[in-house]
Structures are given as C-alpha cells and as structure tokens.
Amino acid sequence: MFNSSSDQISQNFLKVLILALGSLMIVLIHGCNKNHEKDFVKLDAPLKEILPQIKLTLWEEGVEITVGNTYSGIKEYVIESGIDKGTIKCRYHLFDQHTVEASRYIFTVVSYNEGGSGTFYYLTAIDKTTLKSVDHVSLDDRITLKSVDLTEHHGDTVSVKYLTRGAGTSAAQEPNVNVEVHFEMDQGKLKAVPQKN
C-alpha cells in the first residue's frame, strides 16, 4: 500500500513537472517571437511608395540624393580640393525590382557613373526609420543583376545574385560568370557572410 501511494505521488509530480516545462517552453517561444516583432520596423506605407523618398549618400563627399519617382537621375556636386577638384556629374539608378524590405533595413542595388566608362553597382542598406542609406558595399563594375532576396523571414541578411566577367577578360565582353554573395547588417555595417558548402 505504501508503494502504490508513493508511485501515485511520483506520477503526479512527473505530470506537474511536464506541465511546468511545457508552460516554460510556451513562454520562451512567445518571448522570442515578441523580440522579433519588436525588432521589426514597420513602414508607414507600402515599399513601392517609400522608395522615391529614400536618400542616398555619395561616399565621403556626403552628398545626398533623394531618389525620386524615376529611380534615376543626375546629381551634380562640387569637389573643392584634391585631384578631382571641380564639378562632378554623377548618374545614379536605384533598381526597384531588386529591392527588399528586411527587419530594420531596406536593401537595394544602386549603380553610379561619374562620367567614365564604368558603371559601378553597390548593395545599399537603408535605415527604415530615417529612409537614409547607412552603408553600401561594392558588387562590381558593369554587372547584370539577377536577384536580391532575403535569406530569412525576420532578419537583415540578403542574398545577391549577378553575372560578372571572368578574371582577365575584356570589359567589353558580356558578363557570363554567376556570382552569389550573402550580406548581413552587423552593428550598422554591411558584412559578407561566409557561405557553407
């Protein structure tokens, strides 16, 4: 008789322990989801309506470009010292079809040409709270973009796919080498993510 009541107490204790652990798991999962929701910055309008308001910053010159409805244009700015002293005309284009909204940032590709033969492409991160570019990383010169995609639903990591030219080939040759790179925002900076094989 003592053994059966002891077994009953053990079984009841086990049931209570399982219920407590289950409740703890639910609280932890719910808390993690709340943290993701808290990190997500909601835009005031659909992304398509927000894009024309984005402000891009040109490198160390600090020149600001408001993208506008055409996503393309020419921005003139003056450099008052150094080798390139004078007025610079910079052609820019934001690739709206290669733009994604992540948790805290908008990722897009922007090309720039300052009058030379090259058009340079940059993956650009835009802070969703200010709609200003905060960092960019060079992809290559005269590439053919294929896609920019989020790698995770709640996060700030993207995959960029494009075609470029092989080493030692002429700049006039059509891009034909597939490239896929992943980037993430880490403490306000775009950083390449090593890919696992």
Side-chain angles (χ1 to χ4, degrees):
M1 185 161 191
F2 178 75
N3 284 343
S4 67
S5 93
S6 176
D7 287 344
Q8 185 67 33
I9 291 171
S10 295
Q11 287 177 356
N12 287 341
F13 177 75
L14 189 57
K15 286 179 186 177
V16 169
L17 184 61
I18 289 170
L19 282 172
L21 287 174
S23 298
L24 180 62
M25 290 298 291
I26 289 169
V27 167
L28 288 174
I29 290 169
H30 183 68
C32 288
N33 287 339
K34 285 275 188 198
N35 285 341
H36 281 303
E37 289 170 14
K38 190 174 90 180
D39 290 343
F40 187 84
V41 175
K42 184 164 175 29
L43 293 172
D44 294 336
L47 184 58
K48 192 97 172 145
E49 293 176 24
I50 294 292
L51 290 180
Q53 301 171 41
I54 288 173
K55 293 186 183 335
L56 304 170
T57 303
L58 288 179
W59 308 288
E60 58 275 349
E61 287 84 8
V63 176
E64 209 170 74
I65 296 171
T66 301
V67 171
N69 290 321
T70 63
Y71 307 118
S72 296
I74 298 174
K75 178 71 175 184
E76 285 191 18
Y77 62 96
V78 176
I79 296 178
E80 297 181 355
S81 63
I83 298 171
D84 295 329
K85 186 176 177 179
T87 301
I88 305 288
K89 282 187 180 180
C90 179
R91 293 182 184 277
Y92 65 90
H93 180 77
L94 180 144
F95 292 83
D96 62 312
Q97 71 276 28
H98 296 298
T99 300
V100 294
E101 179 185 358
S103 183
R104 296 185 56 212
Y105 299 92
I106 297 167
F107 294 99
T108 189
V109 175
V110 182
S111 67
Y112 298 97
N113 179 296
E114 292 186 322
S117 60
T119 299
F120 298 89
Y121 292 74
Y122 293 85
L123 175 67
T124 304
I126 293 108
D127 187 317
K128 288 168 66 176
T129 61
T130 63
L131 297 183
K132 292 183 177 182
S133 61
V134 290
D135 199 22
H136 61 263
V137 60
S138 177
L139 297 175
D140 213 338
D141 173 24
R142 290 175 278 196
I143 63 175
T144 300
L145 281 169
K146 293 172 74 179
S147 67
V148 176
D149 297 302
L150 293 178
T151 60
E152 53 192 50
H153 183 65
H154 287 290
D156 288 308
T157 305
V158 292
S159 165
V160 183
K161 295 178 184 174
Y162 60 92
L163 295 173
T164 190
R165 284 170 292 288
T169 58
S170 163
Q173 185 176 349
E174 286 295 313
N176 61 359
V177 176
N178 282 304
V179 175
E180 179 178 359
V181 285
H182 292 203
F183 295 95
E184 68 180 349
M185 285 299 285
D186 183 14
Q187 299 178 358
K189 294 288 182 191
L190 270 170
K191 296 186 178 173
V193 178
Q195 293 207 12
K196 298 172 186 169
N197 292 334

